[in-house]
């Protein structure tokens, strides 16, 4: 960190006398000791996370009708919920695959958003660290359920393309919209995010690409020791390694790097008074768990009809299965992440936006993809990491592009009320290496996603089914 023309900010006040100064220091020390004692007591009781201090959450007591009103009737997107039962009726009465797929797709959209809401409510009782993990898990549960149903039906390519599409959607569309919307709201400055988390996330994404790239390279170079079996064995071994790496990443994130959550702590302290209503949960912990169970079961039911209708919809609409799997399905499944990332970016909480978008991509690439390989292994399906040359190249280039957009730059900061704030004033500032974003970067990511979507629209998958 280099400094530029920083004058002395604090001058010693000798005239006040040593007695008053000693009294002030003593009072300050007593207040700090009392605060530390209170936090230690709360931590022993389990009500305060050692990683992220939080206020004591008051659990609301809602009746069944009020809980239904809050979860189901409070969101206009839930007007799409009747499309789910309608898809089931069409399946048994008309058996039109195109209509069943379309209605199921629309019906799952509000369910994915409500899953995100219920997870957010549960996060009030688990703390933000565990809550962030829950949000990433249940934010991707739609893709996981669809993938498992497709895997059960032997549709390995649909599984691979759906998971690939979810990674591309999160990295390009979700993150791009977050950068774009946040940049428009704060167009007078560059938004800043933590460089350390960005570097770690980029490294994990590159590791995921390596795990997916090598089986494809082995296949297309015809250099297998045992033709047909070495590729599958490598995929299963790499999947186990990727699952171990993801477990280590969770431990690193939740335990070893607790200091990385300090920006979240500062944001919460600054906004706690202004947004008390937003900081209180609307439903209780057990209500959140029950609603998560109900919504997950309903998503599972609709996913079965959705997967059964994919091939029929592709024929009736004359649209490639690759486009349906890579573009249409992930947009629906990522509805919760999409809304959350944009909302955080518009509140100048870019670290949270990155956590949602890139964190979700990491979980799919490092957990969901190898998990499906292992589940397929148990089912007797030859699910591997060979996503074919076109798809693997698309993923590799996307990760490289996003990694370049997440690279750090030199940002000028000033001291404002004891906090570091970005500034354009060169007379009183200090420079730090931080990640920056603006609406132009967001627009470029969105345009890259449009190129990806157009590529899959004209791409004929050599191994459909």
């Amino acid at each position: 960190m280099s400094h530029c023309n920083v004058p002395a900010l604090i001058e010693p006040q000798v005239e006040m006398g040593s007695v008053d100064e000693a009294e002030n220091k003593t009072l300050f020390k007593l207040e700090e000791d009392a605060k530390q004692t209170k936090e230690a007591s709360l931590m022993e009781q389990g009500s305060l996370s050692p990683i992220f201090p939080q206020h004591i959450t008051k659990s609301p007591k809602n009746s069944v009708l009020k809980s239904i009103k809050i979860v189901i009737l409070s969101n206009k997107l839930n007007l799409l919920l009747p499309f789910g039962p309608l898809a089931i009726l069409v399946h048994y009465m008309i058996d039109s695959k195109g209509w069943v797929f379309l209605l199921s797709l629309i019906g799952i959209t509000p369910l994915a958003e409500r899953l995100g809401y219920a997870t957010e409510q549960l996060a009030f009782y688990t703390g933000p660290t565990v809550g962030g993990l829950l949000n990433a898990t249940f934010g991707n549960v739609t893709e996981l359920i669809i993938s498992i149903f497709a895997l059960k039906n032997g549709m390995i390519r649909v599984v691979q393309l759906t998971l690939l599409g979810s990674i591309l959607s999160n990295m390009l569309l979700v993150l791009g919209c977050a950068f774009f919307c946040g940049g428009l709201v704060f167009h007078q400055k560059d938004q800043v995010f933590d460089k350390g988390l960005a570097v770690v996330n980029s490294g994990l994404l590159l590791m995921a690409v390596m795990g997916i790239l090598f089986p494809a390279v082995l296949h297309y170079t015809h250099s297998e020791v045992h033709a047909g079996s070495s590729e599958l064995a490598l995929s299963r071994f790499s999947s186990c390694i990727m699952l171990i790496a993801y477990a280590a990443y969770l431990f690193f994130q939740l335990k070893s790097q607790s200091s990385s959550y300090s920006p979240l702590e500062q944001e919460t302290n600054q906004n706690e008074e202004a947004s008390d209503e937003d900081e209180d949960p609307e439903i209780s912990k057990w209500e959140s768990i029950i609603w998560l169970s109900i919504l997950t079961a309903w998503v599972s039911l609709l996913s079965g009809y959705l997967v059964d209708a994919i091939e029929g919809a592709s024929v009736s609409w004359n649209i490639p299965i690759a486009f349906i799997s890579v573009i249409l399905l992930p947009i629906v499944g990522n509805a919760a992440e999409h809304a959350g990332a944009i909302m955080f970016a518009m509140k100048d909480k870019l670290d949270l936006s990155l956590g949602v978008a890139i964190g979700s991509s990491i979980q799919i690439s490092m957990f969901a993809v190898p998990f499906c390989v292992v589940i397929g292994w148990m089912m007797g399906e030859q699910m591997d990491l060979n996503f074919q040359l076109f798809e693997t190249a698309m993923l590799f280039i996307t990760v490289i592009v996003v990694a370049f957009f997440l690279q750090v730059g030199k940002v000028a900061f000033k001291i404002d009320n004891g906090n570091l704030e970005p500034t354009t004033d060169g007379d009183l500032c200090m420079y730090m290496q931080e990640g920056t974003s603006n609406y132009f970067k967001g627009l470029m990511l969105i345009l890259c996603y449009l190129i990806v979507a157009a590529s899959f629209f004209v791409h004929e998958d050599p191994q459909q089914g």
Side-chain angles (χ1 to χ4, degrees), residues 235-376:
S235 297
R236 290 170 175 174
F237 176 78
S238 299
S239 296
C240 294
I241 297 298
M242 291 165 72
L243 290 173
I244 294 173
Y246 184 71
Y249 164 68
L250 291 183
F251 180 83
F252 173 81
Q253 188 181 43
L254 301 181
K255 299 292 183 182
S256 302
Q257 291 295 307
S258 59
S259 61
S260 65
Y261 289 90
S262 57
L264 306 184
E265 174 185 347
Q266 294 173 3
E267 289 174 357
T268 300
N269 292 335
Q270 292 171 0
N271 298 324
E272 186 174 0
E273 297 179 358
S275 57
D276 283 337
E277 295 181 359
D278 295 336
E279 295 296 329
D280 292 327
E282 297 179 346
I283 57 179
S284 65
K285 179 172 70 174
W286 285 108
E287 285 179 86
S288 303
I289 295 173
I290 292 171
W291 277 114
L292 279 175
S293 303
I294 293 173
L295 292 169
T296 302
W298 186 230
V299 168
S300 301
L301 180 63
L302 281 183
S303 296
Y305 293 96
L306 183 73
V307 170
D308 289 337
I310 286 178
E311 291 181 349
S314 173
V315 173
S316 61
W317 293 351
N318 196 25
I319 295 178
I321 291 181
F323 181 82
I324 292 176
S325 302
V326 175
I327 304 301
L328 296 184
L329 293 182
I331 287 178
V332 172
N334 292 333
E337 290 99 325
H338 207 149
I342 292 175
M343 178 187 67
F344 290 135
M346 294 177 70
K347 293 180 179 179
D348 203 17
K349 299 179 180 180
L350 213 56
D351 283 324
L352 296 181
S353 294
L354 282 172
V356 171
I358 303 299
S360 182
S361 298
I362 289 173
Q363 187 176 56
I364 294 171
S365 58
M366 295 293 293
F367 173 74
V369 171
F371 178 76
C372 286
V373 172
V374 174
I375 292 296

Side-chain angles (χ1 to χ4, degrees), residues 89-339:
L89 288 176
V90 170
H91 173 78
Y92 289 106
M93 295 178 64
I94 304 177
D95 196 23
S96 174
K97 297 296 185 181
W99 281 107
V100 171
F101 178 81
L102 179 61
L103 294 173
S104 299
L105 198 66
I106 296 174
I108 286 178
T109 304
L111 295 176
E113 191 277 332
R114 288 291 88 184
L115 275 171
Y117 169 81
T119 307
E120 178 186 336
Q121 295 297 306
L122 184 60
F124 282 107
Y125 306 98
T126 61
T129 304
V130 179
L133 178 61
L134 286 173
N135 186 47
T137 302
F138 281 96
N140 296 319
V141 74
T142 306
E143 293 92 334
L144 269 177
I145 292 173
I146 293 174
S147 298
I148 290 174
F149 270 95
L151 198 58
K152 186 178 179 182
N153 293 344
M155 303 169 67
I156 295 176
R157 284 300 288 162
V158 171
V159 177
Q160 292 177 330
L161 294 174
T162 299
L163 295 176
L164 172 69
S166 188
I167 298 171
L168 298 177
S169 174
N170 276 298
M171 286 196 296
L172 294 177
L173 185 62
V174 175
L175 185 62
C177 288
F179 280 1
F180 182 74
C181 295
L184 289 180
V185 174
F186 299 96
H187 61 275
Q188 71 278 7
K189 66 170 186 177
D190 278 350
Q191 291 183 288
V192 179
F193 55 85
D194 182 27
K195 65 174 182 179
L197 293 177
V199 170
V200 171
N201 291 340
S202 299
L204 276 171
L205 288 173
L206 287 171
M207 180 181 178
V209 169
M210 184 177 70
I212 294 173
L213 177 66
F214 287 172
V217 172
L218 185 67
H219 174 79
Y220 285 100
T221 56
H222 305 288
S223 56
E224 299 171 272
V225 175
H226 303 288
S229 60
S230 296
E231 174 189 334
L232 183 62
L234 176 61
S235 297
R236 290 170 175 174
F237 176 78
S238 299
S239 296
C240 294
I241 297 298
M242 291 165 72
L243 290 173
I244 294 173
Y246 184 71
Y249 164 68
L250 291 183
F251 180 83
F252 173 81
Q253 188 181 43
L254 301 181
K255 299 292 183 182
S256 302
Q257 291 295 307
S258 59
S259 61
S260 65
Y261 289 90
S262 57
L264 306 184
E265 174 185 347
Q266 294 173 3
E267 289 174 357
T268 300
N269 292 335
Q270 292 171 0
N271 298 324
E272 186 174 0
E273 297 179 358
S275 57
D276 283 337
E277 295 181 359
D278 295 336
E279 295 296 329
D280 292 327
E282 297 179 346
I283 57 179
S284 65
K285 179 172 70 174
W286 285 108
E287 285 179 86
S288 303
I289 295 173
I290 292 171
W291 277 114
L292 279 175
S293 303
I294 293 173
L295 292 169
T296 302
W298 186 230
V299 168
S300 301
L301 180 63
L302 281 183
S303 296
Y305 293 96
L306 183 73
V307 170
D308 289 337
I310 286 178
E311 291 181 349
S314 173
V315 173
S316 61
W317 293 351
N318 196 25
I319 295 178
I321 291 181
F323 181 82
I324 292 176
S325 302
V326 175
I327 304 301
L328 296 184
L329 293 182
I331 287 178
V332 172
N334 292 333
E337 290 99 325
H338 207 149

